[in-house]
Amino acid sequence: MHHATPLINTIVGGLVLAFLLGILASRFRISPLVGYLAAGVLVGPHTPGFVADTSLATELAELGVILLMFGVGLHFSFKDLMAVKSIAIPGAIAQIGVATLLGMLFSTLMDWTPVNGLVFGLCLSTASTVVLLRALEERQLIDSRRGQIAIGWLIVEDLVMVLTLVLLPAYGNMLGSDAGSSALSWQDLAITIGKVVAFITLMIVVGRRVVPWVLAKSASTGSRELFTLSVLAMALGIAFGAVKLFDVSFALGAFFAGVVLSESELSHRAAQDTLPLRDAFAVLFFVSVGMLFDPLIVINEPGAVLATLAIILLGKSAAAFALVKLFGLSTRTALTISVSLAQIGEFAFILAGLGIALGMLTQEGQNLVLAGAILSIMTNPLMFAVLERYLARDATDEEQYAEQKPGEEPQSPMEICHHVLLVGYGRVGSLIGAKLAQAGMPMVVVENARPRVDALREQGINVVMGNAAKAEILSLARLDCAHWLLLTIPNGFEAGQIVAMARAKRPDLHIVARAHYDEEVTYITERGATQVVMGEREIANSMISLLQLETSLVPQTDDSVPGQRSLPF
């Protein structure tokens, strides 16, 4: 019997195509986001073949927005922002202003209204969090000064866009009112701002106490399902309550739900447990955005598409470069920030959708935003590749020094040999480090978390700050004459990279690494590790060893042989 399953058809069709095209994009070294958007185009109404239910896709996209913004809030860090506030805050605001003005200038050429130009320019002004962070991680720039400035810049952009999503509807109402009701419109705007302030105050005063308490209570039950459910219930519930009780957006509610949740000691676990669901709905969000895109605009209006792309790749980048140089930073840093911001993503889609709903952006404008996003995301890896070649050729010692984090002193190679090189000083690494120190064994720790580095230096322990995946960091830790290399970091892929690099330089080195899964054990072993320790296996071995199989401790049975006992494993 035939069943009408539009929801299942939409989810299955979107996810399967997104997976296939995402894999294809990755093979061509393009961001998988391009594949997700292309999947949406293929199942959308503007292309032949299967057409997904657009109304259901919109609902799924709304869930995707909530979970995307929840993830942004969950990883939001005031500390990271404050470290580079003197550059990131004024720089990001000025760059948003320049991009918006360029968008408004473009709108005059397209005979759009100033409001259309304003929304269009705002859509082009903010970079994609997903694309930028992934690009920095792939190039191991997260911990560099350039990476810290780019992330701080991005945080400011996100905050401005969240505020824009809240104020844009009220601004639209003001523009739609006549002169006689302008006072009422200003009053509506004041009421909207008041509701936003009330919601934020409630979250800061009450939410930061209640939410961590609820998390702790759900975690104490011992049920992983209940804990995950509590995180999702709070994220979705707060977002829904923000709309129903305070008339603010789902985006703002979800963002502050994440911010409040990030202050809990269980925030890392909350992020890990909800990551699969957030990723799945984020994919559906990008698919639903692609469904709105009419690819014929690239053929019918190539000039407009190229002009949009020029604003994103050239206008924004030039503004960012000039602003960073204005603050006295190196060309190396300015170029990295420029390339990092030369793309647009999720906020552009959210803002464009809101502009369409409010009648503040034309369908043509939305198509140009989507075309600009797809093309800029595809172009961004190529720009990074060109940048890396240029920097590798022309970098000076002064620029290498400027690459250090704010307040970080230059590091010199350790004056030590025949030592243990310990990578990572978290829960596992700190236990190993304590035993090595107790045994009096010489040791050098490689750690990228500044607080841990400062604490180790206060204890007189040799420590190199940085990512061990970088050859220069291992060189500072004297890999050339180390006797052991112990990798305690939880990332199996990164550990494999370090093992391969260390084995190429030191074929005789004893390397012991940590893994969580059988696949990671195989991966790390194939790259040259002497031994790989998997936590679950070691726990099982320890529990077996604690059984104490001596006859004095083993209960005897009538048919048992004295001194012997067979075990069922």
Side-chain angles (χ1 to χ4, degrees):
M1 180 169 53
H2 175 72
H3 296 282
T5 56
L7 177 61
I8 295 177
N9 292 344
T10 301
I11 293 176
V12 172
L15 290 180
V16 170
L17 266 177
F19 167 70
L20 294 176
L21 295 178
I23 288 288
L24 184 63
S26 296
R27 291 294 298 271
F28 287 99
R29 299 185 179 276
I30 301 172
S31 172
L33 291 184
V34 176
Y36 307 155
L37 292 167
V41 174
L42 291 180
V43 300
H46 302 289
T47 53
F50 170 74
V51 177
D53 190 311
T54 53
S55 60
L56 285 175
T58 303
E59 294 283 341
L60 294 172
E62 200 70 68
L63 274 175
V65 169
I66 292 173
L67 294 174
L68 269 173
M69 294 305 302
F70 174 67
V72 172
L74 202 57
H75 294 96
F76 177 78
S77 173
F78 278 108
K79 182 179 178 181
D80 289 343
L81 177 58
M82 290 300 103
V84 292
K85 63 181 184 298
S86 60
I87 303 169
I89 294 177
I93 293 174
Q95 180 252 300
I96 289 173
V98 171
T100 303
L101 288 174
L102 289 174
M104 295 181 72
L105 178 63
F106 173 78
S107 71
T108 60
L109 302 176
M110 299 291 291
D111 292 326
W112 294 347
T113 66
V115 176
N116 292 157
L118 173 65
V119 176
F120 181 75
L122 286 170
C123 289
L124 304 185
S125 66
T126 181
S128 166
T129 303
V130 177
V131 174
L132 188 144
L133 290 179
R134 191 165 298 173
L136 294 178
E137 286 174 354
E138 288 175 354
R139 291 156 183 83
Q140 296 161 356
L141 292 174
I142 291 288
D143 296 316
S144 69
R145 178 171 173 80
R146 292 180 287 161
Q148 291 293 303
I149 294 173
I151 292 171
W153 198 295
L154 186 67
I155 289 172
V156 177
E157 286 190 347
D158 288 353
L159 288 175
V160 172
M161 288 302 110
V162 168
L163 186 62
T164 301
L165 292 174
V166 173
L167 297 179
L168 198 61
Y171 180 65
N173 291 335
M174 287 178 57
L175 293 176
S177 62
D178 53 31
S181 59
S182 60
L184 181 61
S185 297
W186 281 107
Q187 183 180 359
D188 290 341
L189 180 60
I191 291 173
T192 299
I193 296 174
K195 288 180 178 179
V196 172
V197 172
F199 170 72
I200 295 174
T201 302
L202 180 66
M203 292 300 297
I204 293 175
V205 175
V206 180
R208 66 187 305 182
R209 293 175 173 82
V210 174
V211 170
W213 179 81
V214 173
L215 272 185
K217 286 296 181 183
S218 60
S220 67
T221 64
S223 170
R224 182 169 182 172
E225 293 82 2
L226 276 177
F227 178 79
T228 304
L229 185 60
S230 69
V231 176
L232 292 174
M234 282 185 287
L236 297 173
I238 291 173
F240 185 78
V243 173
K244 292 298 181 181
L245 301 178
F246 295 91
D247 291 329
V248 300
S249 65
F250 283 121
L252 183 69
F255 174 76
F256 272 95
V259 170
V260 170
L261 228 62
S262 68
E263 297 189 7
S264 168
E265 295 179 355
L266 297 167
S267 62
H268 180 71
R269 179 181 168 187
Q272 289 295 112
D273 286 1
T274 59
L275 184 61
L277 190 62
R278 286 190 285 124
D279 284 347
F281 275 98
V283 170
L284 288 174
F285 166 72
F286 290 115
V287 170
S288 67
V289 168
M291 290 174 63
L292 302 174
F293 176 59
D294 184 359
L296 289 178
I297 194 170
V298 178
I299 300 173
N300 296 335
E301 299 187 46
V305 172
L306 289 175
T308 301
L309 192 61
I311 293 174
I312 299 170
L313 299 184
L314 302 178
K316 282 177 58 181
S317 297
F321 180 87
L323 289 165
V324 174
K325 290 294 291 181
L326 191 63
F327 284 101
L329 298 180
S330 67
T331 301
R332 183 185 184 87
T333 300
L335 286 172
T336 302
I337 303 301
S338 301
V339 173
S340 298
L341 300 174
Q343 38 80 16
I344 59 173
E346 50 273 12
F347 267 114
F349 307 145
I350 298 170
L351 196 56
L354 180 61
I356 288 287
L358 296 173
M360 301 175 69
L361 184 67
T362 63
Q363 185 63 51
E364 181 185 27
Q366 185 183 45
N367 283 331
L368 288 174
V369 169
L370 297 177
I374 294 172
L375 294 174
S376 66
I377 291 172
M378 291 177 64
T379 307
N380 199 244
L382 300 177
M383 296 179 68
F384 261 111
V386 173
L387 174 67
E388 287 176 335
R389 290 184 181 180
Y390 170 76
L391 295 182
R393 187 182 72 240
D394 296 336
T396 64
D397 293 339
E398 290 77 11
E399 288 176 329
Q400 291 284 359
Y401 176 78
E403 175 68 9
Q404 312 257 357
K405 283 187 179 181
E408 181 183 345
E409 69 279 7
Q411 301 183 97
S412 301
M414 291 290 166
E415 297 180 0
I416 191 173
C417 265
H418 308 296
H419 58 288
V420 177
L421 205 168
L422 178 61
V423 177
Y425 210 77
R427 290 182 299 174
V428 176
S430 60
L431 293 173
I432 296 174
K435 291 292 184 181
L436 292 174
Q438 185 178 357
M441 295 187 66
M443 170 181 61
V444 174
V445 177
V446 176
E447 175 59 59
N448 59 10
R450 184 76 201 196
R452 289 177 184 167
V453 171
D454 292 339
L456 288 169
R457 286 174 177 167
E458 289 178 2
Q459 298 171 34
I461 296 175
N462 297 316
V463 58
V464 174
M465 182 172 178
N467 190 328
K470 295 182 178 180
E472 60 268 25
I473 296 299
L474 288 182
S475 178
L476 291 174
R478 297 303 305 273
L479 174 70
D480 60 319
C481 62
H483 186 66
W484 288 87
L485 172 61
L486 305 182
L487 300 169
T488 69
I489 56 176
N491 188 324
F493 177 74
E494 185 177 352
Q497 290 181 308
I498 298 171
V499 167
M501 183 168 55
R503 181 59 70 203
K505 295 180 179 296
R506 288 286 310 280
D508 60 327
L509 184 64
H510 296 278
I511 304 176
V512 181
R514 167 191 178 188
H516 287 290
Y517 308 104
D518 291 328
E519 293 81 2
E520 289 184 348
V521 173
T522 303
Y523 176 81
I524 298 172
T525 302
E526 288 176 349
R527 273 144 188 80
T530 310
Q531 186 175 355
V532 182
V533 179
M534 191 169 78
E536 288 77 3
R537 290 180 182 174
E538 296 306 312
I539 291 172
N541 291 336
S542 296
M543 293 179 72
I544 291 172
S545 67
L546 291 174
L547 292 178
Q548 299 291 332
L549 302 183
E550 293 85 354
T551 56
S552 60
L553 298 178
V554 177
Q556 299 292 316
T557 58
D558 294 338
D559 58 345
S560 62
V561 179
Q564 294 183 358
R565 181 177 174 86
S566 60
L567 296 175
F569 39 66

